[in-house]
């Protein structure tokens, strides 16, 4: 019986450039090599090489639109793995004012794969709990349930169909690392 070769994924994730690329893709959008190059300050051929490896390992996916190729996270497992590993990773120290400013902006508000994160995300979650729209599970698992009044709130106030969201592959209504 063949066992999975976990070292392949670990090798891919051990490279800072690939982690940076995955981090950019965590907002759930698709980007071209040129866009990722602008974000990372890496050379275009280097970004292309890393994206090729990530795509071969099925961590990213690529779609062609006209002459452009757009890369995105390929599944729901990649961000979950990324978030899980982040829980056990040391925080990188700030080395410059520019880096400090960027971290400060990200701390306030950002998207994290498919949800709002940062201080804004925490405030929204706290509001939803205080208004009894969502309630945490009793087991400290980081999973929340939408209350009956919450379902009405999402449907009427925000025009969000909760039942459709529950059918998606991604876990529904979970805590973020923030």
């Amino acid at each position: 019986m063949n066992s999975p070769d976990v070292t392949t994924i670990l090798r891919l994730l051990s490279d800072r450039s690939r982690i940076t690329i995955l981090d950019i893709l965590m907002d759930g959008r698709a980007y071209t090599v040129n866009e990722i190059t602008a974000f990372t300050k890496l050379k275009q051929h280097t970004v292309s090489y890393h994206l090729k490896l990530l795509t071969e390992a099925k961590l990213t996916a690529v779609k062609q639109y006209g002459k452009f190729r757009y890369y995105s996270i390929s599944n729901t497992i990649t961000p979950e793995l990324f978030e899980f590993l982040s829980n056990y990773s040391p925080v990188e120290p700030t080395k410059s004012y520019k880096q400090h400013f960027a971290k400060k902006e990200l701390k306030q508000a950002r998207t994290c794969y498919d949800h709002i994160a940062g201080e804004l995300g925490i405030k929204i979650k706290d509001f939803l709990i205080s208004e009894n729209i969502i309630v945490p599970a009793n087991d400290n698992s980081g999973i929340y349930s939408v209350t009956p009044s919450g379902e009405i709130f999402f449907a009427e106030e925000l025009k969000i169909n909760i039942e459709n969201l529950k059918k998606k592959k991604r876990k529904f209504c979970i805590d973020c690392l923030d």
Side-chain angles (χ1 to χ4, degrees):
M1 180 170 123
N2 294 337
S3 5
D5 184 10
V6 177
T7 60
T8 300
I9 299 297
L10 293 175
R11 251 190 322 275
L12 283 170
L13 295 178
S14 70
D15 184 279
R16 184 169 300 280
S17 297
R18 286 191 284 270
I19 290 296
T20 302
I21 291 168
L22 285 173
D23 197 28
I24 290 165
L25 297 175
M26 288 290 283
D27 70 1
R29 292 183 267 184
Y31 293 98
T32 65
V33 170
N34 289 337
E35 291 170 321
I36 295 169
T37 299
F39 287 131
T40 63
K41 308 294 187 224
L42 295 169
K43 302 236 184 265
Q44 184 179 12
H45 63 81
T46 303
V47 171
S48 294
Y49 170 74
H50 289 305
L51 285 167
K52 177 183 179 283
L53 295 176
L54 292 168
T55 303
E56 286 173 354
K58 297 183 173 59
L59 294 175
T60 59
V62 61
K63 288 187 179 179
Q64 182 106 16
Y65 292 101
K67 65 178 186 172
F68 295 104
R69 295 166 58 98
Y70 286 85
Y71 291 85
S72 61
I73 298 291
S74 66
N75 55 53
T76 60
I77 301 301
T78 302
E80 288 177 20
L81 175 63
F82 203 82
E83 287 185 34
F84 177 80
L85 291 173
S86 295
N87 280 324
Y88 298 98
S89 301
V91 176
E92 185 178 334
T94 304
K95 297 175 183 165
S96 69
Y97 177 75
K98 184 178 177 183
Q99 192 180 42
H100 168 74
F101 188 73
K103 283 185 176 183
K104 185 177 177 184
E105 285 181 331
L106 288 173
K107 183 179 178 187
Q108 291 174 352
R110 65 184 180 282
T111 56
C112 179
Y113 190 61
D114 60 357
H115 61 273
I116 298 170
E119 292 170 350
L120 177 62
I122 293 168
K123 286 179 181 177
I124 291 171
K125 179 192 77 169
D126 291 345
F127 169 79
L128 295 174
I129 291 170
S130 72
E131 295 297 312
N132 197 38
I133 294 169
I134 62 171
V135 292
N138 294 331
D139 59 2
N140 290 333
S141 63
I143 297 174
Y144 294 82
S145 298
V146 178
T147 64
S149 61
E151 289 190 20
I152 294 167
F153 169 79
F154 283 116
E156 292 179 3
E157 299 294 324
L158 302 177
K159 310 295 186 229
I160 296 174
N161 185 326
I162 297 298
E163 291 307 313
N164 284 346
L165 292 176
K166 288 179 181 177
K167 293 176 187 173
K168 297 199 177 236
K169 289 181 181 179
R170 182 111 159 108
K171 289 180 184 172
F172 179 73
C173 205
I174 60 169
D175 224 350
C176 179
L177 288 174
D178 291 331

